[in-house]
Amino acid sequence: MAAKSIISRPVYGTLSPQPGKHHLFVADAEGALAISDLAAKAPTGFFGDAHIIFIPGADGKHVAALEALNPAQFYQGPSFASALPRLKQTLANAHMGLRLYLAGTEGLIGQAMQAALEAGIDHTSIQTEHRGSLARRVQCVHCKGITENVTTQPATCSHCGLLLLVRDHYSRRLAAFQGVCINAEDRSEIPPTEEIYR
């Protein structure tokens, strides 16, 4: 759990059914469980006009459970990047009153939130729930490259190869944590690597 003094850190809640005519769900892997939990509390017919965009991951778990909710539209994609055009198109065609539900990893939530805000969706119409891996999306402040699914401290930048200290500072604009060179003074100084964001 991050220190409360780090105000840039996103705060996540628990998904709950909201009144509205249209409901858009975006989730990856374990985020499907948050949607299933919401479904248990939702009124009959809630998913009749819902659209679910789901990235199941390598194991493909939870697809059948989401399909069983009988949403009006269901999309299953291999990655967030492949689902992004569909998400942007859906948001561009959205009507007033759309409710957006984001569930899963911080990487998915941050990137989907970024797309929604760019599309003009009011932040009060968006709910988020973190489920699954604590892996981080990290931007190297030196080369500006983004490294996905970082689980270690320090981490190696996948673009420039620098050894990065993964800070708790989160950039909402980039939907990523910031990484700074941990051994800038002496590159031969290499601290032990620990897996801390599982």
Side-chain angles (χ1 to χ4, degrees):
M1 200 70 188
K4 290 182 189 234
S5 63
I6 302 171
I7 60 173
S8 70
R9 290 274 296 147
V11 176
Y12 305 110
T14 302
L15 300 186
S16 63
Q18 298 297 306
K21 194 170 180 182
H22 305 285
H23 304 277
L24 173 59
F25 295 86
V26 183
D28 64 359
E30 302 304 313
L33 298 175
I35 296 173
S36 294
D37 289 350
L38 175 144
K41 301 178 268 185
T44 304
F46 184 81
F47 285 89
D49 198 24
H51 184 166
I52 298 175
I53 297 175
F54 182 55
I55 297 100
D59 60 11
K61 286 175 30 179
H62 311 299
V63 173
L66 293 180
E67 288 178 325
L69 297 173
N70 295 317
Q73 294 182 60
F74 181 82
Y75 169 83
Q76 176 185 339
S79 66
F80 182 79
S82 66
L84 187 57
R86 183 182 188 98
L87 175 60
K88 286 184 174 184
Q89 184 65 39
T90 302
L91 292 170
N93 294 330
H95 296 284
M96 188 68 116
L98 172 76
R99 298 296 181 193
L100 179 58
Y101 305 83
L102 310 175
T105 60
E106 277 188 312
L108 172 118
I109 293 171
Q111 292 175 88
M113 177 78 76
Q114 190 178 46
L117 296 175
E118 285 173 7
I121 303 298
D122 184 67
H123 70 92
T124 60
S125 296
I126 305 171
Q127 286 190 40
T128 59
E129 182 172 340
H130 182 266
R131 292 275 184 115
S133 171
L134 297 175
R136 292 182 168 188
R137 185 170 193 261
V138 177
Q139 186 223 24
C140 174
V141 301
H142 307 284
C143 75
K144 308 303 181 209
I146 300 282
T147 302
E148 302 285 350
N149 300 316
V150 171
T151 59
T152 62
Q153 181 72 286
T156 302
C157 175
S158 62
H159 299 272
C160 68
L162 287 177
L163 194 58
L164 303 174
L165 168 70
V166 180
R167 297 187 59 224
D168 279 332
H169 174 72
Y170 183 82
S171 167
R172 292 176 198 275
R173 182 179 64 82
L174 300 170
F177 288 90
Q178 303 298 285
V180 296
C181 185
I182 197 167
N183 58 357
E185 300 285 324
D186 181 1
R187 296 286 167 87
S188 66
E189 213 174 278
I190 300 174
T193 300
E194 291 181 72
E195 187 164 9
I196 59 175
Y197 311 115
R198 295 173 198 217

